[in-house]
Structures are given as structure tokens and as C-alpha cells.
Amino acid sequence: MWAYVEGIRNRHTAAGKVGPTLVTASSTLKRIRFWIGIFIVCLLLSGITAFPLTSELVWVSAALDSWLAPVADMIPALESWIDRVAAALRDVSERYPFLHYGTDWLAFAHIVIAVAFYGPFQDPVRNKWVIDWGLIACVGIIPLALIAGPLREIPWGWMLFDISFGVIGAIPLLYIRHLIGRLERTTQES
């Protein structure tokens, strides 16, 4: 990608000027990298936090009983759901620890997906397909939650919470896609 910016710089320098195209391409590239970096960090955090799932849910359950009690009072269904999931995870940990291998793979998948976004971080124009792929994955969360959720007896509110990850994830990806289009036009004009 820097080759694009460098090519623009060389043309403008040869012409004896530094025009707005160079500034625009450089600042657009910085914005793209900033938002992709944020997206990568969020994916990594999602993955890493899936490893200690049992201890996290036990902690959240205890927090809802103590310092998060006002939240539990406002949303009693949340507390009972978290307690149920924490109890199930404790039971699985004690009796069937091998089932956690599935969440280990979930964590690994998030980390691998985060690594895939290094391509557009490095060269956004050439690797814009990764952004498109990410948008498709965000949209895919919706039918997955709506189909698998009822089959797995997931409460409606929790399915909406899961769907929100796709919606929230799509927002920066759409913005990144827009910026890549701008960068592409800027580099083609020069």
C-alpha cells in the first residue's frame, strides 16, 4: 500500500508540488489501519476470553449477586440465565472437561480470523475482499442465532445480544470498506 502513496509522492514531487491527493491517500490509509487495528483487537479479545469461560461466568454470576445487584434487579432474567450457564459450565468442567475443547476451537477461530485482517491492514486495496468476507460473516450471525438459538433453548434476549455482535461488527467494516473505496479512487486519479 505504501507503494501507492510513494508513487503519488514521486509524481507530485517531480511536478514540484505536494498536492491534496498525497495528504488524502496518506490520511485515508491511516484511518483504515486504525479501524482495522481496533477490529483486530476486538476479535483477539473475543477469542482470548473464550478460553477461561467457566471462571468468567462464575465471576459474572458472583458479581450479579454483589456489586452488580442493581443490574440483576433491573433484569432478573439475565441473572437467572447467567447462573444457569455458570452452573452448567461448572458441571461440564467437573464431569465432562473435554467439552470445553469446542470453546477452545471457538477461541482459536476468533484469533485466526483476527490474523486474516492483517492482509487489509497491510494492503487495503488489494485485500478489500477480506473486509467483504467479514461483512458476510457479520450478516451470517443473524440466521445462525435465529436458527440455532431456539434449537439450543437460548433465551430471546441472549440471541439478540449475539446478533448485536454482527451488527456492531459490520459498522466499522462498512466504514473501512468506504475508506478503501476512497483510497482506491485517490490512487487511480493520480
Side-chain angles (χ1 to χ4, degrees), residues 38-51 56 110-111 114:
I38 296 287
F39 199 78
I40 288 171
V41 167
C42 290
L43 280 168
L44 289 173
L45 289 173
S46 278
I48 292 167
T49 58
F51 285 115
E56 288 171 346
H110 277 79
I111 293 166

Side-chain angles (χ1 to χ4, degrees), residues 109-123:
H110 277 79
I111 293 166
V112 169
I113 292 167
V115 171
F117 280 90
Y118 180 72
F121 182 88
Q122 191 65 26
D123 188 342

Side-chain angles (χ1 to χ4, degrees), residues 29-111:
L29 182 60
K30 285 179 185 173
R31 276 194 194 132
I32 291 168
R33 287 185 170 160
F34 172 79
W35 285 107
I36 291 174
I38 296 287
F39 199 78
I40 288 171
V41 167
C42 290
L43 280 168
L44 289 173
L45 289 173
S46 278
I48 292 167
T49 58
F51 285 115
L53 207 49
T54 302
S55 55
E56 288 171 346
L57 263 290
V58 168
W59 179 84
V60 170
S61 180
L64 285 169
D65 289 337
S66 59
W67 62 277
L68 284 178
V71 173
D73 292 341
M74 288 187 320
I75 314 169
L78 173 67
E79 182 178 23
S80 68
W81 175 249
I82 295 293
D83 288 345
R84 182 177 177 203
V85 173
L89 286 172
R90 276 194 305 270
D91 187 44
V92 165
S93 293
E94 292 168 11
R95 296 172 54 190
Y96 312 105
F98 56 87
L99 288 177
H100 287 297
Y101 192 56
T103 55
D104 294 342
W105 278 103
L106 170 72
F108 177 72
H110 277 79
I111 293 166

